[in-house]
Amino acid sequence: MLLDDLNVEQRLAAECNEGPVLIIAGAGSGKTRTLTYRIAHLIEKGVDPFNILALTFTNKAANEMKERISELVGDKARYIWMGTFHSVFSKILRIEADRLGYLNTFTVYDSEDSKGLIRSIVKEFNLDEKVYNKSFILGRISMSKSNLISAQDYIDNPTFASEDRSINKPYIGQIYREYNSRLRRAMAMDFDDLLFNMNVLLRDYPDLLLKYQEKFKYILVDEYQDTNYSQYYIIKKLSARYRNICVVGDDAQSIYAFRGANIRNILDFQKDYPDSKIFKLEQNYRSTKNIVNAANSVIERNIGKIEKKVWTDNDLGKKINYKECDSDKNEAKWICNTIVDRKLNDDAKYKDFAILYRTNQQSRSLEESLRFMNIPYRIFSGVSFYGRKEIKDVLSYFRLVVNNFDDEAFLRIINFPSRGIGETSLNKLKIIAAENSISLFEAAMTLDSQSGISTRTVQLIIDFVTAIRVFTLELSKIDAFELGVKIISKSGIIKFLKNDEDPISAERIENVEELINALQAFVESEEDAILDELTGEEISLNNKTLDVFVQQVSLMSESDRDDDKDDDRVSLMTIHSAKGLEFPYVFVCGMEENLFPNVLSLGSRVELEEERRLFYVAMTRAKKELALSCAQMRFRNGQMAFNEKSRFLDDVDPKYLSDEFFNSKSSKKSNPFAQETNFGLSPKRKLSKIDLPLPKPIGGVPVESMEDFSEGMEVCHDKFGLGKIVCLEGKGDDMKAEVMFESAGLKKLVLRFAKLKLKK
């Protein structure tokens, strides 16, 4: 029998095919296996694979799952609609593009494209780029779209207007509206639009809602705890007709609230579907008993959770290793020495080790120590292959060929390599485009002697757009590899890189050559036909075209990385980047108050519980050994900080910790720096209010912007008196400060509410 390979609870979850189902899958409990067998079981029972929609958060996860299903049910697996939210709904949006007034060759902007567009708008609005920081504005727009708040909704909302004025950014709504207008003019969507516009389709076109409800009779969602409001709404609408909705996830691993993920989606699933069945996968196949039980003892401290008890039949294993060091430099040395010891005594390989940290800044001392000891390593979350400059340059040529309206691609390559087209001429071209509400490419095609641009430059621009148009006409005539090679050759990028004296130019040429290999692999892949998206009828593909290649590349998510398991190097990464991975040996460093948990999370129970879930995720990455470490002193933001041990260390049941933890229990009391400065004062040890003399109000100089504050600055507060800013974190209305007051001690303040003034 197909399901005989599953344990009892996995099998029950896989067999329950009708109605709403919630599968709570603990860390290492075989979640992917259960989901795979569930889909295979549906097909074996006669469900048409064309009627199955399976949504994941990475293309890699979708491809791996489809391969596993193929092993179970054969070729039928290729007919399943399976992929990331963005890739699946992008496909639907291209099919239904005309309903929204888009071409089906629309471009998908990545964050760099979006930031470039926002920067241009801020500049054109004559606003201060430091105040209207492009990353902050994009984050605001992204969060709005994720919550289905349109630009006009944003502008009309008095609460948003009031908040924006309070942080000295009253024009965010207007920037949002112009940003969307420019996207549409460029026949482009950003990643959030793929979900926002899918909701628009289902909301405004009842015939399409019915069409896709009939199409997707069985819906399965992986990592449901990571879904945002927009994703939640799409799933709810699509599943409303047949209600065969199965969601899989773990509330204990919900760590992406900063990206818009809403843990309430999984916690409230049974409220949304009162007749739903719930299955709990609690057997951990990954870690030792000590690691599993230690992690359980941490997560049980959270109030907002679904009750479960993860357990394992694996060996007891070693207790959790612990080390308290006097500095981050010595912490890094200890980690490196431990790696060398395990490698020699346990016959381990470097790739068996992962060092996890809360913030990217912590990697510096680790890298220095690893290099000093000649330990090979790699850092995750670096620039991906498709994010490298030379690759984005080539892809911008491809994008403009596929979509002539793409303004960001146009601006990136119009003068790269240099054609002698200057900034002044481009600004005049932008004015022409804006005045006529057309794309830059269209404006370029209409240039004449009356444009105010020199005759020579006009001819250079016309030559460029003509060459692009010639390539566009070849889109449907030749395959992606042949056309891609032509474009690369004609662009002059290879010649430019060969003439460039930069030492890394040779590597950049190799990267372009690798992109050509990717084109060839795409064209030569085994699939020689595609399926009609709705009927399933096979449509012959004599040529695999460049537009399809560009669409696939544009939807590569940050998590779709090449892990290269044969590469024997220690892995360094943030804990967020480690989700979904596992290693025999895991180090979690920087276990200090205000670092982990992060100081910005200390203002509310909800945020603190998310930090605790992050710690749980870090612990459960380990298979064989887990080590926790902290440093009494650490350089942060260019200054030495003196730290208390993280409160999370006290959350771990002591019986699972090594003796070193108990030997260091009193070490902080002997730290003269901690006593002298009072830095890192834990909320547990705050001075009682009755011990604090209330200072008289002190006059000060008001600040015009929160960005006027800096670390080390002397400030005054009406209640707490005089103090000095010890640490600043966050941006915009999220900016928080740690201030050491002379009378009141250390306080953590949200700057937009604190009304701090500069000391006179």
Side-chain angles (χ1 to χ4, degrees):
M1 291 288 292
L2 178 67
L3 302 182
D4 287 347
D5 293 335
L6 303 180
N7 68 31
V8 174
E9 198 66 20
Q10 288 173 338
R11 179 166 186 152
L12 289 172
E15 285 177 331
C16 186
N17 298 148
E18 303 298 320
V21 172
L22 170 63
I23 302 175
I24 299 298
S29 63
K31 166 179 67 71
T32 303
R33 181 181 182 84
T34 305
L35 200 54
T36 298
Y37 274 83
R38 180 183 172 86
I39 295 172
H41 181 64
L42 281 171
I43 295 172
E44 188 182 60
K45 290 296 182 182
V47 173
D48 192 329
F50 287 108
N51 296 140
I52 299 174
L53 170 64
L55 297 168
T56 67
F57 274 83
T58 69
N59 292 301
K60 182 178 178 181
N63 292 334
E64 287 181 353
M65 202 177 298
K66 188 170 279 191
E67 287 176 8
R68 292 194 197 182
I69 296 170
S70 294
E71 294 173 0
L72 297 173
V73 300
D75 194 50
K76 292 178 182 178
R78 66 188 291 243
Y79 304 120
I80 302 167
W81 271 59
M82 181 179 289
T84 65
F85 282 85
H86 294 94
S87 65
V88 168
F89 299 138
S90 170
K91 193 180 295 183
I92 293 175
L93 287 170
R94 291 188 190 280
I95 295 169
E96 313 294 352
D98 61 317
R99 297 287 190 111
L100 298 175
Y102 278 88
L103 297 176
N104 60 13
T105 55
F106 65 79
T107 301
V108 179
Y109 276 14
D110 63 16
S111 60
E112 186 178 333
D113 297 319
S114 294
K115 288 176 185 177
L117 179 53
I118 289 170
R119 185 173 57 245
S120 298
I121 294 170
V122 168
K123 189 175 181 180
E124 290 170 24
F125 280 14
N126 292 315
L127 299 172
D128 188 337
E129 291 185 45
K130 292 183 179 178
V131 174
Y132 289 89
N133 176 275
K134 59 184 183 295
S135 296
F136 176 84
I137 301 299
L138 179 59
R140 194 81 158 195
I141 292 172
S142 176
M143 197 60 72
S144 297
K145 290 184 178 181
S146 294
N147 286 285
L148 302 181
I149 299 168
S150 69
Q152 196 57 51
D153 291 337
Y154 190 100
I155 290 171
D156 293 341
N157 189 303
T159 302
F160 295 153
S162 176
E163 288 179 356
D164 291 346
R165 285 194 299 271
S166 73
I167 59 173
N168 197 31
K169 296 177 177 63
Y171 295 105
I172 291 177
Q174 286 73 16
I175 295 171
Y176 181 8
R177 180 167 58 192
E178 183 64 17
Y179 170 76
N180 269 4
S181 176
R182 298 284 184 90
L183 282 173
R184 179 169 285 277
R185 194 176 80 186
M187 283 293 153
M189 298 184 195
D190 62 21
F191 262 70
D192 295 304
D193 283 328
L194 297 177
L195 302 177
F196 186 97
N197 287 332
M198 185 66 194
N199 271 293
V200 171
L201 276 181
L202 300 180
R203 180 195 69 195
D204 295 351
Y205 299 95
D207 60 318
L208 292 184
L209 175 59
L210 180 59
K211 171 182 174 180
Y212 288 104
Q213 285 177 337
E214 285 293 329
K215 166 69 179 167
F216 303 128
K217 294 178 180 177
Y218 292 84
I219 300 174
L220 302 95
V221 185
D222 193 13
E223 304 287 7
Y224 190 64
Q225 77 280 351
D226 293 337
T227 54
N228 60 28
Y229 181 74
S230 181
Q231 291 162 327
Y232 163 83
Y233 229 76
I234 295 170
I235 296 162
K236 192 168 186 178
K237 287 178 180 177
L238 288 176
S239 62
R241 187 170 181 80
Y242 288 96
R243 302 183 80 254
N244 294 321
I245 172 70
C246 172
V247 302
V248 186
D250 182 7
D251 57 293
Q253 298 186 65
S254 178
I255 59 174
Y256 290 121
F258 69 97
R259 293 182 184 172
N262 187 353
I263 192 174
R264 299 308 315 177
N265 292 347
I266 193 167
L267 294 180
D268 294 343
F269 184 83
Q270 291 176 289
K271 291 181 181 179
D272 290 336
Y273 303 94
D275 59 333
S276 62
K277 296 182 175 64
I278 182 170
F279 300 92
K280 297 180 182 180
L281 309 184
E282 297 172 307
Q283 183 175 0
N284 179 294
Y285 293 93
R286 176 188 299 157
S287 309
T288 65
K289 283 186 173 69
N290 270 320
I291 293 172
V292 168
N293 292 334
N296 284 344
S297 69
V298 168
I299 203 61
E300 69 183 14
R301 304 288 184 120
N302 274 8
I303 296 173
K305 64 181 184 293
I306 296 173
E307 292 295 338
K308 63 179 177 298
K309 186 70 174 180
V310 179
W311 59 277
T312 184
D313 273 338
N314 292 341
D315 293 339
L316 180 64
K318 295 182 179 179
K319 289 190 174 184
I320 312 304
N321 202 354
Y322 173 79
K323 183 66 175 179
E324 182 176 354
C325 304
D326 59 4
S327 68
D328 54 344
K329 186 175 181 179
N330 284 335
E331 179 188 39
K333 285 182 179 178
W334 176 78
I335 290 172
C336 290
N337 286 331
T338 305
I339 289 173
V340 171
D341 176 75
R342 298 297 187 271
K343 191 171 186 299
L344 290 173
N345 296 319
D346 293 1
D347 197 27
K349 296 180 179 179
Y350 286 124
K351 66 181 180 181
D352 294 335
F353 298 89
I355 307 174
L356 310 183
Y357 35 77
R358 180 62 182 84
T359 64
N360 280 307
Q361 293 92 324
Q362 292 170 252
S363 71
R364 181 190 57 80
S365 57
L366 294 165
E367 289 187 75
E368 288 176 357
S369 190
L370 288 163
R371 285 196 297 266
F372 180 78
M373 297 185 67
N374 293 317
I375 296 175
Y377 68 92
R378 58 177 175 173
I379 297 183
F380 281 86
S381 295
V383 178
S384 68
F385 176 78
Y386 290 104
R388 293 183 171 96
K389 180 188 180 304
E390 61 277 9
I391 300 303
K392 286 188 72 68
D393 289 335
V394 174
L395 289 176
S396 291
Y397 274 93
F398 292 177
R399 280 169 44 181
L400 194 59
V401 168
V402 170
N403 174 15
N404 296 161
F405 299 98
D406 190 338
D407 283 353
E408 288 304 302
F410 182 95
L411 289 171
R412 187 178 184 105
I413 63 175
I414 180 64
N415 199 42
F416 180 80
S418 178
R419 296 180 177 85
I421 302 171
E423 194 68 28
T424 302
S425 298
L426 283 177
N427 287 336
K428 291 178 180 178
L429 186 64
K430 289 178 184 178
I431 292 171
I432 294 171
E435 288 177 345
N436 294 279
S437 297
I438 57 178
S439 70
L440 293 171
F441 195 94
E442 291 173 296
M445 293 183 68
T446 64
L447 287 179
D448 54 30
S449 58
Q450 307 301 314
S451 62
I453 302 174
S454 70
T455 304
R456 176 182 173 278
T457 304
V458 167
Q459 191 57 53
L460 290 170
I461 294 173
I462 291 175
D463 289 346
F464 170 76
V465 297
T466 301
I468 296 295
R469 283 295 297 164
V470 169
F471 289 134
T472 301
L473 293 172
E474 292 188 278
L475 260 177
S476 60
K477 298 177 182 178
I478 57 179
D479 64 38
F481 173 73
E482 187 177 349
L483 183 55
V485 170
K486 275 189 177 183
I487 295 170
I488 291 170
S489 176
K490 181 72 173 178
S491 71
I493 287 178
I494 295 292
K495 182 179 179 181
F496 169 81
L497 292 174
K498 285 181 177 178
N499 293 333
D500 191 358
E501 296 181 357
D502 192 318
I504 65 171
S505 290
E507 180 182 338
R508 288 175 172 166
I509 292 172
E510 290 176 359
N511 288 335
V512 175
E513 291 172 346
E514 183 59 32
L515 180 62
I516 293 173
N517 292 338
L519 284 165
Q520 188 169 17
F522 167 74
V523 170
E524 294 179 354
S525 59
E526 291 182 3
E527 292 183 9
D528 56 1
I530 60 171
L531 302 170
D532 181 276
E533 303 295 357
L534 297 178
T535 67
E537 178 186 359
E538 288 199 346
I539 303 172
S540 176
L541 266 187
N542 295 322
N543 300 307
K544 294 197 173 182
T545 52
L546 189 64
D547 56 323
V548 179
F549 177 81
V550 170
Q551 290 168 23
Q552 287 188 4
V553 169
S554 69
L555 292 168
M556 292 290 288
S557 72
E558 293 177 6
S559 301
D560 291 313
R561 56 197 172 217
D562 181 8
D563 291 342
D564 194 4
K565 294 180 180 178
D566 294 328
D567 190 6
D568 193 23
R569 290 187 284 172
V570 174
S571 296
L572 274 68
M573 67 190 81
T574 64
I575 302 169
H576 283 100
S577 298
K579 187 164 180 287
L581 303 179
E582 59 183 38
F583 301 88
Y585 303 87
V586 170
F587 298 86
V588 185
C589 60
M591 294 297 303
E592 300 138 29
E593 278 294 300
N594 301 330
L595 180 58
F596 195 22
N598 189 281
V599 66
L600 297 179
S601 71
L602 302 180
S604 74
R605 179 181 63 80
V606 171
E607 292 178 345
L608 186 60
E609 289 199 351
E610 171 132 342
E611 286 288 292
R612 187 176 284 112
R613 292 195 295 270
L614 190 60
F615 182 37
Y616 176 81
V617 167
M619 297 176 77
T620 54
R621 299 311 93 198
K623 298 167 68 176
K624 185 176 180 180
E625 283 189 39
L626 172 65
L628 310 174
S629 62
C630 62
Q632 295 177 12
M633 297 181 290
R634 180 182 301 277
F635 270 103
R636 294 184 66 191
N637 302 316
Q639 295 184 347
M640 180 65 75
F642 303 94
N643 315 299
E644 272 193 340
K645 289 185 291 191
S646 169
R647 70 185 70 194
F648 290 159
L649 291 170
D650 291 329
D651 288 346
V652 183
D653 190 320
K655 64 185 176 184
Y656 304 120
L657 287 162
S658 66
D659 292 340
E660 175 68 26
F661 179 74
F662 305 99
N663 296 336
S664 62
K665 268 285 186 180
S666 61
S667 64
K668 189 56 63 182
K669 295 177 183 177
S670 63
N671 182 351
F673 297 106
Q675 292 174 354
E676 180 183 331
T677 63
N678 207 27
F679 287 172
L681 196 62
S682 141
K684 302 176 189 174
R685 304 179 192 176
K686 283 183 180 176
L687 297 173
S688 167
K689 288 184 179 179
I690 61 173
D691 296 330
L692 302 178
L694 292 176
K696 297 178 181 179
I698 300 173
V701 181
V703 295
E704 295 183 1
S705 167
M706 287 185 291
E707 296 186 7
D708 291 341
F709 291 112
S710 61
E711 292 179 0
M713 181 179 285
E714 293 186 322
V715 293
C716 54
H717 187 276
D718 287 345
K719 180 178 179 181
F720 302 130
L722 292 175
K724 181 180 289 188
I725 296 177
V726 176
C727 177
L728 284 170
E729 294 201 42
K731 294 180 179 179
D733 59 354
D734 293 324
M735 185 176 284
K736 298 181 184 180
E738 287 183 78
V739 183
M740 179 61 69
F741 291 101
E742 293 177 357
S743 302
L746 187 70
K747 296 291 180 182
K748 302 174 184 67
L749 306 173
V750 179
L751 287 181
R752 66 181 169 124
F753 300 123
K755 298 180 181 178
L756 284 179
K757 298 177 182 178
L758 303 183
K759 180 182 176 184
K760 286 184 178 178

